[in-house]
Amino acid sequence: RGAALPPALAALSGDLAQALGFWALESGERGVSLDELARRTGVPADELAPKMRALASEQKLLEIPKEGSRELRWIAPQTFRRITERAARVLREHFQKDRLAEAIPKAEAVRRILRGRGAELADVYFHWLQAGKVLEVAGDRVRLPGRSAELTGEESQLSTQVLERFRAGGLTPPSPGDVAQALGAKPQILDGVLRHLVARGEMIKLPSGLMLAKSAVDEIKASLLATDWERFSVADFKDRFGLSRKWAIPLLEHLDSTGATRRAGDDRLLVRK
């Protein structure tokens, strides 16, 4: 309709290659399959396949390979350029807003960069974006290539003070609110410093959101390995370290996730490497 109608009519009134390019562009970030193109053009899929490969070899289309249950699909180069520009903008805005962030969660990056059903092809698009040095994927995190969060002198001093207080607290660390009040730090700045310390591995954020110094968790691991335990209960764990259930359960979940322990029913098995 409107401004889109004349170029559509021109493409669909031209040769088959023009029509195929138009339908690939029209399909957007989800791409188009041979069966869909066959329905659009009235040309059997087996006749379209070599034409699509030829267009891809001329870089007039981009091929998304078949994998698992996902069928072979194609997108227009303009579509990927749009994704590339959006990815660069999303990452730039994220790190401008959160200067101390080391990365953005991959799930959030997918949601903000790929819209609608384009998210179904996130693995392909992020592979291409990484090859183009637009971003870096590390597990479930997405970073800007070569970017490193740098603290100001004031933030660096605050991070040292914060880490000292959490290390001194051991398994009974202060809350972020208590630290902010004690150090006279603005909550927003302190939050950025804490996330920076977590990203650098000097602090640990438990599944429940509670935070403590990595040194405290290291001491727990060393203490467990010093026992003759092979299997222990939550009650055993609480008693040995003087913990409430509020702290014991998240700590055990963290130890499970790092491979220090393994859950066996209601108990834990101590992993000795």
Side-chain angles (χ1 to χ4, degrees):
R1 298 177 181 175
L5 183 57
L9 290 174
L12 297 177
S13 300
D15 59 19
L16 181 59
Q18 288 178 286
L20 293 173
F22 171 79
W23 289 122
L25 181 62
E26 184 76 5
S27 69
E29 297 170 12
R30 180 176 176 268
V32 67
S33 70
L34 283 175
D35 287 342
E36 291 165 344
L37 288 169
R39 289 195 294 272
R40 293 290 193 182
T41 62
V43 179
D46 58 349
E47 292 182 26
L48 289 176
K51 297 182 184 297
M52 296 300 286
R53 287 195 293 269
L55 289 171
S57 68
E58 297 169 10
Q59 298 186 330
K60 293 179 179 178
L61 290 176
L62 298 178
E63 181 180 307
I64 297 173
K66 175 181 173 61
E67 183 175 319
S69 61
R70 184 182 70 212
E71 57 190 338
L72 186 66
R73 305 187 76 81
W74 286 268
I75 65 166
Q78 302 97 303
T79 299
F80 185 60
R81 283 199 294 271
R82 187 168 65 246
I83 291 173
T84 301
E85 291 166 1
R86 190 187 305 141
R89 184 179 70 254
V90 164
L91 294 175
R92 183 176 64 251
E93 291 174 351
H94 177 81
F95 292 115
Q96 283 177 346
K97 183 179 179 181
D98 191 352
R99 189 176 52 77
L100 294 181
E102 294 279 347
I104 178 174
K106 186 177 179 182
E108 181 183 348
V110 170
R111 178 178 56 79
R112 294 174 61 184
I113 295 171
L114 301 174
R115 297 171 179 173
R117 298 188 66 180
E120 298 172 6
L121 301 172
D123 58 335
V124 175
Y125 286 137
F126 275 50
H127 176 73
W128 289 352
L129 290 169
Q130 184 162 254
K133 301 189 183 303
V134 177
L135 51 76
E136 287 181 353
V137 180
D140 61 352
R141 314 278 287 172
V142 174
R143 299 190 298 247
L144 272 175
R147 182 185 182 278
S148 178
E150 295 293 338
L151 300 176
T152 65
E154 182 181 353
E155 290 165 342
S156 180
Q157 182 180 3
L158 178 61
S159 71
T160 300
Q161 294 173 326
V162 168
L163 192 55
E164 285 175 353
R165 288 180 177 268
F166 273 92
R167 283 174 174 167
L171 294 177
T172 55
S175 69
D178 291 339
V179 173
Q181 187 174 5
L183 298 178
K186 294 180 180 178
Q188 186 176 1
I189 295 177
L190 178 64
D191 182 60
V193 167
L194 286 171
R195 281 187 283 105
H196 181 76
L197 289 169
V198 170
R200 295 179 68 86
E202 296 179 278
M203 295 272 296
I204 289 175
K205 188 172 185 178
L206 299 175
S208 63
L210 295 170
M211 301 179 74
L212 73 170
K214 178 181 179 294
S215 57
V217 178
D218 290 341
E219 289 175 10
I220 285 179
K221 292 178 181 178
S223 180
L224 286 172
L225 291 173
T227 69
D228 58 0
W229 291 354
E230 296 298 331
R231 185 185 188 110
F232 61 93
S233 66
V234 174
D236 295 331
F237 185 73
K238 286 168 59 182
D239 291 344
R240 180 171 183 84
F241 297 104
L243 297 169
S244 66
R245 190 174 183 83
K246 171 185 173 182
W247 278 93
I249 298 300
L251 274 167
L252 286 170
E253 290 175 352
H254 173 75
L255 293 174
D256 293 342
S257 70
T258 58
T261 56
R262 187 168 67 249
R263 187 162 185 172
D266 293 332
D267 291 344
R268 292 307 195 282
L269 300 178
L270 184 59
V271 177
R272 296 181 182 276
K273 295 183 180 178

